[in-house]
């Protein structure tokens, strides 16, 4: 199924009025489901009201590890308000932002995943390119993280752009995590003004037949479109990705 992370729209989600208009535009563009991320200064119930008003459902949420560790009861309240049972750690905390740090984070995620499962919530981890760095034993940090965690407690939310940015093949990594990859962040890679950028799906150079085929065979539940740095109007960038994926999946 298709969804969009609201992180792409984060610059338009800083207050209730602007966020409300933006989410309504998103729904009118054809998006029906979102992953909650990037709301700046808005509380859980405020976000829930905005989503209800825009007729948007929720497939997941991004919450930083320290917030999950230190304020889990409040996070669980927010997830319940959003009718959400999937939470992703979007990046390592600052003290863990190295290949070795990702390995040190693994047992902490495993413990957190066990706590969340007690409340019926599934934990996933979202990668960037730093996790593709090699450790002294030759493994990538991403391989080491998942080898050191229980596959039920800690599942994967791979990101197609950041896998490629780190030198990996998105389709191959998707297949590698078959059965452990419920969520896939979808964005493309290309060149603008001689600079590498992330683009709406279909606007770059990825082999989408390979990526979507791997996602289908690997049990991916949600294809979640995203741009970290939108190359145009953020709502239209999301809509472009969704339209492209709808066409390709229907072919």
């Amino acid at each position: 199924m298709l969804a969009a992370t609201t992180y792409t729209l984060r610059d338009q989600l800083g207050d209730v009025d602007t966020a409300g208009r933006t989410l309504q535009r998103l729904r009118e563009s054809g998006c029906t489901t979102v992953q909650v991320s990037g709301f700046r200064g808005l509380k859980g119930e405020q976000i829930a009201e905005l989503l209800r008003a825009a007729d948007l459902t929720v497939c997941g949420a991004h919450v930083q590890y320290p917030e999950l560790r230190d304020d889990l009861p409040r996070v669980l309240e927010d997830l319940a308000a959003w009718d959400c049972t999937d939470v992703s750690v979007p990046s390592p905390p600052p003290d863990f932002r190295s290949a070795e740090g990702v390995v040190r984070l693994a047992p902490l995620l495993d413990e957190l995943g066990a706590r969340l499962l007690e409340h019926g919530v599934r934990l996933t981890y979202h990668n960037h390119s730093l996790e593709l760095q090699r450790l002294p034993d030759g493994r990538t940090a991403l391989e080491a993280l998942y080898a050191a965690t229980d596959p039920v407690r800690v599942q994967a939310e791979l990101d197609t752009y950041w896998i490629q940015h780190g030198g990996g093949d998105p389709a191959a990594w998707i297949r590698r995590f078959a059965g452990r990859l419920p969520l896939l962040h979808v964005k493309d890679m290309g060149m603008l003004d001689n600079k590498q950028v992330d683009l709406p799906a279909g606007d770059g150079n990825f082999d989408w037949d390979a990526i979507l085929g791997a996602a289908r065979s690997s049990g991916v539940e949600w294809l979640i479109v995203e741009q970290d740095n939108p190359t145009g109007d953020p709502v239209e960038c999301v809509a472009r990705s969704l339209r492209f994926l709808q066409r390709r999946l229907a072919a």
Side-chain angles (χ1 to χ4, degrees), residues 208-239:
W208 287 103
D209 285 339
I211 289 171
L212 295 178
R216 187 177 296 111
S217 65
S218 298
V220 173
E221 299 170 18
W222 288 97
L223 301 171
I224 303 171
V225 303
E226 179 186 47
Q227 269 188 276
D228 290 351
N229 300 291
T231 46
D233 175 73
V235 173
E236 178 55 27
C237 286
V238 169

Side-chain angles (χ1 to χ4, degrees), residues 55-130:
D55 192 26
L56 290 165
T57 59
V58 176
C59 69
H62 272 195
V63 181
Q64 294 289 348
Y65 172 76
E67 192 175 352
L68 286 161
R69 178 194 61 202
D70 299 335
D71 202 6
L72 185 57
R74 197 268 309 155
V75 172
L76 291 170
E77 288 182 6
D78 289 349
L79 295 176
W82 304 332
D83 194 21
C84 173
T85 57
D86 272 284
V87 66
S88 301
V89 171
S91 61
D95 290 346
F96 294 83
R97 288 181 186 168
S98 66
E100 293 76 13
V102 170
V103 176
R104 289 190 289 109
L105 183 62
L108 304 180
L109 291 176
D110 202 62
E111 178 184 358
L112 174 62
R115 293 174 64 196
L116 286 166
L117 282 174
E118 293 175 357
H119 299 277
V121 176
R122 178 170 61 181
L123 177 67
T124 55
Y125 177 81
H126 173 270
N127 69 279
H128 291 82
S129 53
L130 75 86

Side-chain angles (χ1 to χ4, degrees), residues 160 169-171 174 184 186 206-216:
T160 55
D169 175 354
I174 291 167
L184 181 67
V186 174
F206 279 172
D207 182 347
W208 287 103
D209 285 339
I211 289 171
L212 295 178
R216 187 177 296 111

Side-chain angles (χ1 to χ4, degrees), residues 3-226:
T5 174
T6 55
Y7 184 75
T8 305
L9 316 172
R10 62 195 179 276
D11 290 340
Q12 300 172 355
L13 301 177
D15 63 78
V16 169
D17 290 340
T18 304
R21 290 192 296 270
T22 300
L23 293 176
Q24 186 62 46
R25 284 188 60 216
L26 182 67
R27 182 65 182 87
E28 291 169 355
S29 77
C31 181
T32 61
T33 305
V34 297
Q35 181 184 56
V36 175
S37 178
F39 285 86
R40 297 173 175 176
L42 299 183
K43 304 298 183 182
E45 186 54 43
Q46 288 177 304
I47 295 169
E49 291 176 3
L50 290 168
L51 294 169
R52 285 192 293 268
D55 192 26
L56 290 165
T57 59
V58 176
C59 69
H62 272 195
V63 181
Q64 294 289 348
Y65 172 76
E67 192 175 352
L68 286 161
R69 178 194 61 202
D70 299 335
D71 202 6
L72 185 57
R74 197 268 309 155
V75 172
L76 291 170
E77 288 182 6
D78 289 349
L79 295 176
W82 304 332
D83 194 21
C84 173
T85 57
D86 272 284
V87 66
S88 301
V89 171
S91 61
D95 290 346
F96 294 83
R97 288 181 186 168
S98 66
E100 293 76 13
V102 170
V103 176
R104 289 190 289 109
L105 183 62
L108 304 180
L109 291 176
D110 202 62
E111 178 184 358
L112 174 62
R115 293 174 64 196
L116 286 166
L117 282 174
E118 293 175 357
H119 299 277
V121 176
R122 178 170 61 181
L123 177 67
T124 55
Y125 177 81
H126 173 270
N127 69 279
H128 291 82
S129 53
L130 75 86
E131 292 90 348
L132 274 292
Q133 295 181 57
R134 297 282 176 179
L135 298 163
D137 64 9
R139 295 182 300 169
T140 64
L142 196 60
E143 289 174 287
L145 182 148
Y146 286 111
T149 51
D150 184 291
V152 176
R153 294 177 178 179
V154 183
Q155 300 196 33
E157 182 185 49
L158 297 182
D159 185 296
T160 55
Y161 175 87
W162 288 113
I163 289 289
Q164 182 72 40
H165 187 272
D169 175 354
W173 275 90
I174 291 167
R175 291 191 297 270
R176 180 178 296 186
F177 285 100
R180 196 177 180 176
L181 179 61
L183 312 177
L184 181 67
H185 264 203
V186 174
K187 49 184 176 281
D188 216 326
M189 177 182 284
M191 301 295 291
L192 285 178
D193 299 325
N194 209 33
K195 295 180 181 179
Q196 180 179 288
V197 295
D198 62 307
L199 294 169
D203 284 3
N205 299 313
F206 279 172
D207 182 347
W208 287 103
D209 285 339
I211 289 171
L212 295 178
R216 187 177 296 111
S217 65
S218 298
V220 173
E221 299 170 18
W222 288 97
L223 301 171
I224 303 171
V225 303
E226 179 186 47

